[in-house]
Amino acid sequence: MATVIDRYPTRGTHEVSVPRLDPVVWSAPGTPGPFEPAELRDYDRDGFLTMDRLVDPDEVTVLRTELDRLIADPAVRADERAVVEPKSQEIRSVFEVHKISQVFADLVRDPRVVGRARQILGSDVYVHQSRINVKPGFGASGFYWHSDFETWHAEDGLPGMRTVSVSIALTENHDTNGGLMIMPGSHRTFLGCAGETPEDNYKRSLRMQEAGTPSDEALTDLAAQHGIKLFTGPAGSATWFDCNCMHGSGDNITPFPRSNVFIVFNSVENAAGPPFAAPAPRPAFIGARDFTPVR
């Protein structure tokens, strides 16, 4: 078996900073697709792209109804794919929604969605992860600053940065209800975090991330270089963002809920292997081991 070179070391004794070694947009210039060339140039520069409307209001209603059905279903709550808020005991996330819901399976296959992922990644794609995030009002906790790729590389075994996420708003995202924050341009630098990955780390990290958390000093430097962009928008809007963007979100202490569906597409040419910095891969409902292309 050929040795896989780790180009993005992390979870060692010291925090390290490595320049990105992979493209951001993988398709050749002029490749046809839903994105306009100028949009792809913006995505390449910033590491993200926002859309005021990816799905229309009637479709949002269908998606919201399905989200509400899932989080109210006792069988879903009892499933290991559901993550519950430690304090309120309300559902915070439900993973692998494209496998437990036909509505979300159809969304994944929608050309407006998967077509854009293929255009960015320059290949067929599969779903590395899907989930619904529910941030009810009055205290839903946020997600601390992190790079998804750092975790997916360390714990899922993704070898390179050929992965894109889309977050589709199912409720209005205000500037006060725990919206997504990204440091524009941070996708050009890989931050390898210090500290070993505990066994079964996912059981803690899905509620409160500790392993794979950047230092305050590194975050201060990145924010000074790149600034912070807060994403707001109506239900039906979407944010596409690169796997290596430094991002996070705050608590929602407002009365206004914030719910999103989150889909991660990975290139079939970047399939997960053994984890680079963890005792064992995370369960497949968090980091897929089925690399079948979306059709």
Side-chain angles (χ1 to χ4, degrees), residues 26-207:
W26 288 74
S27 60
T31 300
F35 282 126
E36 297 293 334
E39 292 177 315
L40 288 179
R41 286 194 294 271
D42 289 348
Y43 179 85
D44 184 79
R45 180 193 66 213
D46 298 330
F48 61 81
L49 189 71
T50 58
M51 303 179 63
D52 290 337
R53 178 177 291 182
L54 179 61
V55 295
D56 64 36
D58 289 342
E59 292 172 303
V60 169
T61 298
V62 172
L63 295 168
R64 272 293 306 280
T65 300
E66 180 68 353
L67 179 149
D68 292 342
R69 183 190 72 80
L70 289 171
I71 63 175
D73 186 342
V76 171
R77 183 183 182 87
D79 194 292
E80 65 175 346
R81 290 173 286 194
V83 179
V84 177
E85 281 279 353
K87 292 182 180 179
S88 68
Q89 291 299 298
E90 293 188 65
I91 287 181
R92 168 180 178 150
S93 303
V94 179
F95 282 80
E96 217 170 36
V97 288
H98 72 294
K99 290 195 173 182
I100 63 176
S101 163
Q102 187 60 50
V103 170
F104 288 111
D106 291 342
L107 179 65
V108 164
R109 291 194 298 267
D110 190 308
R112 295 170 296 178
V113 178
V114 70
R116 285 181 164 86
R118 292 188 187 114
Q119 193 179 7
I120 289 172
L121 301 180
S123 69
D124 279 332
V125 298
Y126 70 93
V127 177
H128 177 69
Q129 185 186 105
S130 73
R131 68 179 186 261
I132 47 175
N133 285 339
V134 185
K135 268 195 176 181
F138 300 117
S141 54
F143 294 86
Y144 196 69
W145 291 104
H146 64 286
S147 154
D148 287 328
F149 177 73
E150 192 279 336
T151 297
W152 299 339
H153 182 69
E155 300 186 38
D156 298 339
L158 293 193
M161 297 179 184
R162 201 169 178 180
T163 315
V164 62
S165 301
V166 60
S167 176
I168 304 171
L170 302 184
T171 57
E172 184 163 0
N173 283 218
H174 303 283
D175 58 3
T176 53
N177 66 343
L180 175 68
M181 296 181 288
I182 294 179
M183 297 183 187
S186 61
H187 63 305
R188 294 288 180 181
T189 302
F190 175 73
L191 190 64
C193 298
E196 293 185 353
T197 308
E199 188 173 354
D200 291 336
N201 179 56
Y202 75 94
K203 293 180 180 179
R204 291 185 293 275
S205 67
L206 296 181
R207 292 173 172 84

Side-chain angles (χ1 to χ4, degrees), residues 12-34:
T13 54
H14 302 287
E15 195 171 55
V16 295
S17 179
V18 177
R20 184 189 185 105
L21 301 173
D22 292 304
V24 179
V25 176
W26 288 74
S27 60
T31 300

